[in-house]
Amino acid sequence: MAIPKILVLSGSIRTGSHNSRLAALAAKALTRAAADVTLVSLDDYPLPLYHGDLETSAGPPENAAKLKRLFGAHHGIFITSPEYNASITPLLKNTIDWITRVREPKEPPLAAFRDRAFAIAAASNGTYGGMRSLMALRQVLELGCGALVLPDQIAVSAAATVFDEMDDLREERNADRLRAVLAALVEAARQFT
Ligand SMILES: Cc1cc2nc3c(=O)[nH]c(=O)nc-3n(C[C@H](O)[C@H](O)[C@H](O)COP(=O)(O)O)c2cc1C
């Protein structure tokens, strides 16, 4: 059976980020599920705030091109997304915005988002576990970028207390949900290998 390549990233670069913990846990689980996993931190791909004048004068930054190539090199992408004021983080939105501006000659628009599967997850201390950031992220990816975003998703509430000392999810309910989301992603990503 073909081995899908899965990219994992968190929409937070905060030290101790719950979403980065969730991303790291997902990366571990995906590796166990025989996927070829790349876990990246957006801290390693700093980007200026999108500005049309900057794009006109200098084009998209090299880090946007690198991330776009990374997206293109994977069959599945797993994104964990913190909730800021009922939406996604400016970091994640700015990163996606820049990636959408990178286009190779003769390439169709938004190529990095097409022909691959996305799965999304959130972690928050709030009751809804960042569910509203998932709604916003789904809109950006599906409507804005034409991406296939799987219906399976996970929103982890009470995020400060749900991880044990091994960085696993304590509650079976959360662990089962994450397993289901990742299994769906591996299966969908395999279709694009
Ligand atoms: C500007 C700002 C707005 C926030 N708005 C929300 C919100 O609407 N809903 C929510 O559940 N948490 C909200 N939070 C709390 C974050 O979800 C929380 O800080 C979370 O831990 C951030 O993710 P991280 O741990 O991965 O960095 C907000 C935090 C910040 C800084």
Side-chain angles (χ1 to χ4, degrees):
M1 208 168 355
I3 295 178
K5 296 183 72 172
I6 311 251
L7 179 66
V8 178
L9 65 95
S10 163
S12 173
I13 52 174
R14 185 178 72 82
T15 304
S17 155
H18 305 309
N19 286 277
S20 299
R21 260 175 131 179
L22 188 58
L25 177 59
K28 244 183 358 183
L30 285 163
T31 303
R32 276 200 303 268
D36 181 356
V37 180
T38 311
L39 173 65
V40 295
S41 167
L42 293 182
D43 220 6
D44 295 329
Y45 300 87
L47 289 165
L49 186 60
Y50 177 82
H51 192 312
D53 293 350
L54 178 61
E55 185 185 13
T56 303
S57 62
E62 180 53 25
N63 277 341
K66 279 186 188 166
L67 283 167
K68 187 250 176 190
R69 285 196 292 271
L70 259 181
F71 273 40
H74 291 80
H75 309 108
I77 300 179
F78 184 74
I79 302 178
T80 58
S81 175
E83 180 168 303
Y84 279 11
N85 297 318
S87 190
I88 63 176
T89 57
L91 169 72
L92 185 54
K93 182 64 163 60
N94 190 54
T95 300
I96 292 172
D97 286 346
W98 269 123
I99 294 172
T100 63
R101 306 302 292 172
V102 182
R103 195 167 162 191
E104 305 303 327
K106 298 197 177 145
E107 190 178 59
L110 303 169
F113 295 88
R114 297 182 187 275
D115 300 324
R116 66 207 77 250
F118 287 75
I120 55 177
S124 161
N125 278 326
T127 322
Y128 301 116
M131 180 61 82
R132 295 173 303 175
S133 82
L134 294 184
M135 291 162 68
L137 180 57
R138 188 174 286 282
Q139 170 162 321
V140 169
L141 291 172
E142 285 182 349
L143 297 184
C145 306
L148 166 68
V149 184
L150 301 181
D152 289 287
Q153 60 182 30
I154 175 173
V156 178
S157 54
T161 59
V162 292
F163 291 96
D164 65 19
E165 53 290 343
M166 301 298 288
D167 276 348
D168 281 321
L169 287 164
R170 289 180 205 280
E171 288 179 28
E172 221 27 59
R173 180 178 59 101
N174 280 329
D176 281 350
R177 186 81 208 118
L178 181 62
R179 261 192 296 276
V181 172
L182 298 177
L185 178 60
V186 169
E187 191 185 319
R190 205 169 267 134
Q191 319 288 318
F192 295 106
T193 56

